[in-house]
Amino acid sequence: MHTVWKGSISFGLVNIPVKLHTATENKDIKLRQLHKECNTPISYKKVCEGCNKEVKDEDIVKAYEYAKNKFVVLDAEELENLRKENEDKAVEIIDFVKIEEIDPIYFDRSYFLSPDTTGSKAYSLLRKTLEESGKIGVAKIIIRSKEQLAIVRVYKDSLVMETIHFPDEVRNVADVPNIPSEQIVVQKELDTALLLVDQLTTVFEPTKYTDDYRNALMELIEEKKASNTVTASDKQPVPNNVTDLMTALQASLDKTKTTKKKTTTRKKATKKTS
């Protein structure tokens, strides 16, 4: 399992060297866009609207637009120093709370926490402490240059860290349009609705829920492959300034062969002359 972050978690004077692994994966089926006329994949270029020309990565800087067309430019060194200044700190659990106190709207992404080489004992201690107390830890962490609020909890035999949104990242429900004010509910309708809920109540079994659309889409793709309803582009993409590694290697090989051939030819010609 790929490690996305390496550091330590601390609570009180206990320090736990840990590794972070993504706990979930996106299984959306990615579809490419092709030119209808020749079935060649569509590419996207970074173009400067002012100069009307393609821009290389090394010519791009980051900036914050504080007003329309007014920017504060931030150079790469400033951003890197700011990131390192915060990222080198250990993840410190600052509070312990009950998970029921956190509304699900705050939850973002889940990560498995595994102990590093010397962290097994402290890892087990934190896991057992959370199990016995029935609490979860609230902490802060910087991942990919973004500070995240997070919780640490027990999931089966593992510790899981879940990033959660800061309060100002959750929009105000008062801004949601057309929310009906409290209205009188007919008791008979309410009783019927409650009866329906009771009949549909069961134990949560995640494996029984499947992505029907994704499965149907994969079936359609496999059917088209089986019936040879496949499309291949009859055009080679025009090379841009970003050279494919394999192409570069092959070109270097061909160039070497050509150079050797020319050298051999020259040597033979020299011998004949002499």
Side-chain angles (χ1 to χ4, degrees):
M1 192 176 284
H2 179 64
T3 301
V4 297
W5 184 90
K6 186 176 180 180
S8 62
I9 288 183
S10 64
F11 67 106
L13 299 177
V14 179
N15 192 68
I16 313 166
V18 293
K19 295 177 181 178
L20 208 62
H21 315 274
T22 307
T24 59
E25 59 181 320
N26 186 345
K27 289 200 171 183
D28 285 350
I29 298 172
K30 300 184 185 301
L31 302 178
R32 292 290 304 274
Q33 291 185 322
L34 307 180
H35 183 198
K36 187 177 180 180
E37 185 177 311
C38 62
N39 296 319
T40 302
I42 302 297
S43 63
Y44 296 91
K45 298 179 180 180
K46 297 175 181 177
V47 178
C48 171
E49 295 179 356
C51 304
N52 194 29
K53 66 179 184 180
E54 189 175 353
V55 181
K56 297 179 181 179
D57 287 343
E58 58 265 30
D59 296 324
I60 297 174
V61 296
K62 292 185 177 182
Y64 175 75
E65 187 174 12
Y66 64 92
K68 183 68 174 177
N69 292 327
K70 291 187 177 181
F71 305 92
V72 173
V73 177
L74 303 165
D75 64 50
E77 187 178 352
E78 288 174 324
L79 292 171
E80 181 65 14
N81 290 338
L82 191 62
R83 181 187 66 79
K84 283 186 175 179
E85 184 181 326
N86 290 277
E87 199 168 49
D88 290 342
K89 296 178 181 177
V91 180
E92 182 182 3
I93 294 178
I94 47 183
D95 289 310
F96 288 94
V97 301
K98 293 181 178 180
I99 194 169
E100 295 83 6
E101 296 172 346
I102 303 177
D103 191 278
I105 198 171
Y106 284 94
F107 288 93
D108 184 20
R109 297 198 66 179
S110 301
Y111 299 88
F112 288 126
L113 285 166
S114 68
D116 210 343
T117 312
T118 59
S120 295
K121 187 174 180 180
Y123 184 95
S124 298
L125 174 63
L126 177 57
R127 181 179 59 189
K128 190 65 175 178
T129 302
L130 294 176
E131 285 177 340
E132 293 289 327
S133 66
K135 303 288 177 60
I136 61 171
V138 179
K140 281 187 178 181
I141 183 175
I142 287 189
I143 304 176
R144 300 187 182 95
S145 303
K146 184 181 187 300
E147 186 174 64
Q148 301 269 359
L149 194 60
I151 62 133
V152 178
R153 67 182 182 89
V154 178
Y155 174 74
K156 298 185 177 179
D157 291 331
S158 171
L159 287 178
V160 167
M161 189 189 80
E162 301 198 48
T163 54
I164 61 176
H165 296 290
F166 285 100
D168 60 354
E169 293 179 317
V170 178
R171 293 177 174 174
N172 193 336
V173 69
D175 296 332
V176 181
N178 303 321
I179 297 295
S181 58
E182 189 174 350
Q183 298 178 349
I184 297 175
V185 177
V186 178
Q187 189 60 43
K188 187 177 180 180
E189 294 175 343
L190 179 59
D191 291 340
T192 304
L194 290 171
L195 181 60
L196 177 61
V197 170
D198 187 56
Q199 290 177 348
L200 294 175
T201 298
T202 184
V203 176
F204 178 61
E205 296 178 19
T207 54
K208 83 175 194 179
Y209 304 103
T210 57
D211 188 335
D212 296 335
Y213 171 77
R214 189 181 75 212
N215 292 339
L217 181 55
M218 277 308 302
E219 284 180 13
L220 176 61
I221 291 170
E222 292 301 327
E223 284 175 10
K224 283 181 171 288
K225 284 170 61 180
S227 61
N228 290 322
T229 314
V230 294
T231 300
S233 172
D234 55 0
K235 290 188 177 181
Q236 292 295 323
V238 179
N240 57 17
N241 56 355
V242 181
T243 309
D244 177 73
L245 178 59
M246 196 62 214
T247 304
L249 290 172
Q250 187 61 52
S252 301
L253 203 59
D254 294 341
K255 186 178 180 181
T256 303
K257 288 179 180 178
T258 304
T259 304
K260 284 183 177 179
K261 189 175 181 180
K262 286 181 178 178
T263 303
T264 304
T265 304
R266 278 200 300 269
K267 285 182 179 179
K268 288 181 178 178
T270 304
K271 286 181 180 179
K272 287 181 180 179
T273 305
S274 59

